[in-house]
Amino acid sequence: MVLEILSLLVVYAIVPIVISGALARAFRYSGERAMEAAVLSFGFGPMAAGWLLEWMFRIAPHQTAASYVAVLSAVILVLALYGRGKIAALGPSLPLLWRAFAARDAGVPRTVHIGLVALVLCVIGFLLLQGLVDPLVENDPLKHANVARMVVRDMSVEHYPYAVADPITGYYAAAVHPMGFHMIQVWLRLLSGSAGEVWTIKTVTPFYLLCLSAAIFVAMRKFGTLTAWLAVAIFLAAPLIANVARINHIDIFRLYFFFAAFAFLARYLQDRLAGDLAHSAIGAGMALYAHAAGILFVPLAIGVFAVAFAIPLKQRIIAVCVILAVAGLIGGRQYVVNYQLYGSPVTSKELVWDEGYVQGSLHTEYTRNIITPYDKVVHGALRGFTQLNRFGFTYWLFVLTLIIGWRKILADRTAATFTLVIGGFGAGVLLSMLLGLDIIIKNPRYFLTIHPLMSAVAAIGLAAVVRLVMASPRGEPAEAAT
Amino acid sequence: MSDGNETPGRGERVARRVKAAIGATIGFARRYIGTGRNLAAVALVAALFFAPGYYWLGGLYKVERYVDFDYLTASDLGKIDLIVSRYRDDPYLGIIPKVLKTGPENARWLIFREAEFAYYGNRPFIAHTDPRLIPLYRSDKVEDAVAFLNENAIDYIFVPYRHPPTLYNTVFKDIIGDPRYATLTASSGSFQIFKVNRDDREIVYAPVVRRTIAGVEGDDADSSLVMSEDDGAKWQHVGEELDCRVYKLPEEQFPVQADYAYRIQGSLAGSGDARLRLYQYEPDAADRFWSRPIAHEQLVWSGRLSQQPLPFSSQFEPDFEKGGFYFRVEVSPGAKLDLSQFNIGAEEIRRDDATGDPEDWNIVNGDDAILSSEKYDFATGAQQQSVIWGMRRPHTQAKYVNLDIPVAGNAGYEVRGTAQIDGPVYMVVLFLDDEGEPISRLKDANLSDLIDPETGQFSLRFSTPGKTRYISVRYTVPPNTRLELTENQVHRAGGGVTGRIGALFGNLGLLGASGATMSEPVVVANTTSDAYRELFVGDRLFDAYKAMGDTVFRVEPGQDYRVRFKASGQGRASMIAIFRDDNGNLLGTTGLWHGRLRPQTRHLNLRYSAPSNVRFVHYYLQFSTENGDVSVADLRHDRMQLEQVVADDLISSIDRIAIENVRRKNPYKPWKMMEDNLYVGPTKSCTITARDYYSYHLSSSKRYLITGTLEGDAYLSLYATNFDADYLPTPVRDIIWSGVVADGRRDFSVQYIPPAEGRSTLFSLTRHGGKRIKLSNLKIREIK
């Protein structure tokens, strides 16, 4: 138990702080900017360690657990020494962090503020509890945990993605996803020294739920803390988010990197600091490394740059090249492997699925009820609007924001970037439908890709409604804060 | 000067005070309104969480698991028993312990669902998605599949809850659908384990008798059932007229108190056959609020409807304080239920336990008809009959191994013992509160799954609900089965940190065995199925012991009667009236009373109205415990001369509200399943329109082969629902076939073992999306 608590401390506290410190030194961040960047990139740490671990397994497989831990610790120690000044500066900047989260907007009564914060914290707390305590019982979480366990058993990643069945158990999966999620579990297993019963593997999703909530908050802070808390609330209020969070699904994890990469990209478009671009590129690489849907970052980011006319064309081309290079370096490997194995960089189809008599596609159409074109549109492409039991009111609030808050969206780079990305995703869904592909519409979880971005934008509209409803403290007009 | 100045001064002061008061009032009002608006703003945001809150309720319902350290660390193989005990309603995990007990560890499996098996199963396997299977998926010859199974030395096949297309569309459907190739050896929650047969065996089949729920028996096992596109109203019905379709009344709870006795009465009119049932959920015994187990269910009325309103009247005493009662109506296809005549009245009858004398019974709500027995002379009743009570129900024996073992609430316990069995034996753990009343129970554990075949030892771990003070362990033995229990002990097991440490010290021998020991060697003799007698009481039996009056009384149709008797003893009992026509054919039944027996003699005075075309009635008492002396005397059967049975006006105010709610809503609303909310996966629009029921008597110690033809254009599931023959009967529903039938016809063949020794098994069909479906040629055969 002590070992497990220590391992959690290392993975989720020490390593993120070290990585943040190193990044802050590399890009000369300080003060408020350093604090915000540290919060937005807090989840990069465990992922970076997992990534290193995968390469260690590739370079020198079949070593003892202790030797992997020792090498990884050495790398972390070097990074800690490199970023020691910034890490030491984190202490004094803690009050900044506290003020950022505890601040109350002018014009927002205490009742509303406290009620809202308490609501969000209760929801997060309960999701953490469920994610942490309930055993793994769902299909995909069990498969990910199984892969991690087999990697620890073999001390090797040579069999992944198990497109040839595992020789010992027979485990077969035509997986397309890179190993980001698995490698963090592998790391936790290595630290607790067991291939068997390790409860700490259930902490990955809860940790990233915290990271993602904090990232949404920080990204929307400039609209005031009311909007920022509302953005977190809308994000959590989608039942599908609650569901994937409490069963330790991979989605919360992948959404964090996708969101953080775009949040940094928006900052780059605002201030044009090389550091933000680099953070964005690293985040994009990790999004690619987290999940195959992360590859959507590339076309969407290119689309954003294509219309970012305020920046000179040459600079935009350089930025895109930087992102492609860094992201490809970090997360590109699996897509090459996929192309070699399945003939396509991203495919989610089992090889047997349409062989001979199986008729798997027909089965999918019937079980997911996307048989007719009408079903495909209403239950497929427009499911964000029609399936309130999965997506909550997020899509409707987003539309509301487009109507009543378009001025604010246009005036702000973050909101504008997010809206562009959402529009780009919608265009992609439309395109895939026109091409007759079911790949995006068949699974509701794929729509979650843009969910944090949409929650952030939708909060602007909801904040306006909340301001309309609540009473303003005496002497202050309700609109004063914005 | 002073005078001159005081008056305006006073006026000013008054004016100032008035102004101040008005100002304060306005300020207060503004602040108050402001606060209201602020709360409304928070509520607006909180409303966003309505939908996810709906999902979380499922987890919130059993909060104690979040303070259990063992549970927190239960994520892997070592604790699969713990996980399964907590997730015992989860179809995906219940099968895993059976996998772990099947065959040697190195036996190879062919599996049609990977996640749970791969993570918890600990057996080598070939997955159904493995490309090595592609040649077989292209083949339509069973021989190829047999050859593949032999080449790869595959001994077992693992079939999941819902069949994947790699199973139901390919040659493997013929392997699992034919007992010559594969034998069904175990199943749980619709998951199945097959053993591959390597010898050419001869299979002998025996036909299975079909029973319809209205009690007419036939020997043909062929039937058809059709569901058309829309709701129940437009259905074509194929089959006998007596097969019933179930409608659920909107579940209006009507609140009850455990210390009171209640009576419901009313009348039903219409045509066709109908049943009215009353049921109560277990208050806190489930993980999900929408699938609470039914604690008890009572038949209120069953029979054929006529245009004349048929009055019914039934008494009951609630098992639990909480939970409330619900009503359900089932009618046959083509039946009409006239709801303007459908009333349910209920009243509270306060019970005084001091003497059991009816004069001490205090009627709360004013009606004197039912218990005013002083008008009647017990001694001179001409039709007085004596009945021998206490005959054991032969096909099932239940034994309370030990009653009232004191335990602590919210703690982990373990039942350990040694037993020899030669068939399925079920173990039930009842949790009792400080008054000895059951508050919930552990679902039946099949002892053969728990038992180690070599040593004969078994153990079952569980944790007690918060209010538990005693537990009771009980075993149910089906026909032709022997249970020899040589040791049976209850130990405190790891629940919470202290429990864990305690168990550790206990293992080291430092503390000795903690917890109660209740070793009491029990040999339950062989039971035989020769003595098995089917006694019709609706489709649920409330056993373990029952007695039946041999005397048959003659009645006149449409007249009111009452039956009175004295009863004493322990446990719960039901009194049922069974109606027959001139030829002795069964017409229907009425549950007259359901309640607790007391050590003191109680006088019960019940009444009913005989349905039309009834000529004979006999009474039937069933009760739930062998403990203590159950005795019933003074059974009388009287025509009521002076009293009119009135339906409506006896209702107390609270009950009237509930009942009006029942009436307002449309009871023809078909029974909808909440499955699409339970699992993320199937689409939102998956709708279940209704189902038809056929009933068969199937035994859990036998295997069956079910064949039939499906036609239509839909993704559909065929269910078998098994009602166990237990004191608190629980329906267990299994999917026995599921898949896409797209614009065509498909023959299916599946093997099935009922999950519990049941009284009846019903088959039903569910459609998820798609259009019309039809099931025909349903044949059920026993595999000898």
Side-chain angles (χ1 to χ4, degrees), chain A residues 130 134-136 139 149 165 169-170 172 196-197 202 243 246 355 357-358 363 366 368-369 389 468-469 471, chain B residues 37-38 55 65-66 72 74 76 79 114-115 119-120 125 129 131 137-138 168-169 680 683-685 713:
Chain A
Q130 281 197 311
D134 282 349
L136 301 176
N139 186 65
R149 196 170 61 180
T169 60
Y172 170 84
E197 188 174 320
K202 292 186 285 181
N243 200 27
R246 64 182 239 194
E355 277 298 334
Y357 291 98
V358 176
H363 179 86
Y366 271 78
R368 309 225 160 156
N369 204 3
N389 65 337
L468 210 65
V469 172
Chain B
R37 287 180 58 177
N38 292 338
Y55 284 80
R65 69 169 172 234
Y66 298 117
L72 168 68
D76 228 319
K79 297 199 174 173
E114 208 167 6
Y119 196 67
Y120 294 116
F125 58 86
T129 48
Y137 292 153
R138 289 177 179 157
Y168 73 78
N169 275 336
V680 174
T683 59
K684 170 76 181 73
S685 62
D713 181 18

Side-chain angles (χ1 to χ4, degrees), chain B residues 315 561-565 575 592-593 604-607:
Chain B
Q315 278 187 46
Y561 288 90
R562 71 177 165 195
V563 56
R564 295 180 298 170
F565 59 97
M575 174 59 107
L592 295 174
W593 174 78
L604 290 153
N605 185 350
L606 315 167
R607 64 185 180 181

Side-chain angles (χ1 to χ4, degrees), chain A residues 155-303:
Chain A
M155 287 295 173
S156 155
V157 290
E158 63 194 336
H159 295 305
Y160 191 81
Y162 300 94
V164 175
D166 175 50
I168 298 171
T169 60
Y171 183 84
Y172 170 84
V176 293
H177 301 312
M179 298 197 69
F181 194 62
H182 312 115
M183 290 318 290
I184 297 179
Q185 289 195 357
V186 168
W187 192 25
L188 286 162
R189 281 185 184 276
L190 291 184
L191 286 174
S192 61
S194 163
E197 188 174 320
V198 183
W199 61 271
T200 50
I201 58 169
K202 292 186 285 181
T203 55
V204 182
T205 295
F207 172 74
Y208 279 95
L209 182 72
L210 282 178
C211 285
L212 181 49
S213 305
I216 293 172
F217 182 90
V218 167
M220 297 308 286
R221 242 185 94 212
K222 55 177 131 174
F223 289 93
T225 44
L226 176 70
T227 312
W229 282 114
L230 283 175
V232 181
I234 296 172
F235 164 69
L236 294 170
L240 195 53
I241 287 287
N243 200 27
V244 295
R246 64 182 239 194
I247 65 171
N248 277 283
H249 215 296
I250 194 173
D251 288 283
I252 300 291
F253 174 77
R254 73 179 177 93
L255 294 184
Y256 163 74
F257 293 104
F258 195 81
F259 181 83
F262 273 114
F264 277 117
L265 187 69
R267 284 167 170 258
Y268 170 71
L269 296 176
Q270 178 85 40
D271 302 334
R272 272 180 255 171
L273 289 179
D276 287 334
L277 182 66
H279 272 91
S280 176
I282 294 169
M286 288 183 171
L288 254 66
Y289 186 55
H291 193 271
I295 201 158
L296 284 173
F297 182 89
V298 175
L300 291 173
I302 291 174

Side-chain angles (χ1 to χ4, degrees), chain B residues 690-710:
Chain B
R691 72 258 334 254
D692 275 345
Y693 273 173
Y694 291 99
S695 170
Y696 299 86
H697 181 82
L698 305 182
S699 164
S700 70
S701 54
K702 290 170 182 165
R703 286 182 300 122
Y704 297 91
L705 186 73
I706 302 162
T707 56
T709 305
L710 291 160

Side-chain angles (χ1 to χ4, degrees), chain B residues 148-186:
Chain B
F148 175 84
L149 296 175
N150 287 336
E151 276 163 26
N152 289 281
I154 287 169
D155 292 327
Y156 296 97
I157 301 175
F158 178 77
V159 171
Y161 174 62
R162 288 191 186 283
H163 295 184
T166 45
L167 178 63
Y168 73 78
N169 275 336
T170 68
V171 68
F172 287 109
K173 71 177 185 297
D174 303 324
I175 295 285
I176 64 160
D178 191 334
R180 282 179 301 169
Y181 301 124
T183 306
L184 177 61
T185 57

Side-chain angles (χ1 to χ4, degrees), chain A residues 116 220 227 229-239 384-386 388 391-406 409 419 422 451-466 469, chain B residues 41 43-50:
Chain A
L116 185 58
M220 297 308 286
T227 312
W229 282 114
L230 283 175
V232 181
I234 296 172
F235 164 69
L236 294 170
F385 296 98
T386 55
L388 297 182
F391 299 98
F393 299 101
T394 317
Y395 282 68
W396 292 105
L397 287 173
F398 176 70
V399 170
L400 177 80
T401 307
L402 289 186
I403 295 166
I404 66 172
W406 59 273
I409 293 175
T419 311
I422 293 162
H451 184 78
L453 306 170
M454 192 175 258
S455 310
V457 178
I460 299 169
L462 184 62
V465 175
V466 168
V469 172
Chain B
L44 175 79
V45 180
L48 292 178
F49 288 93
F50 173 76

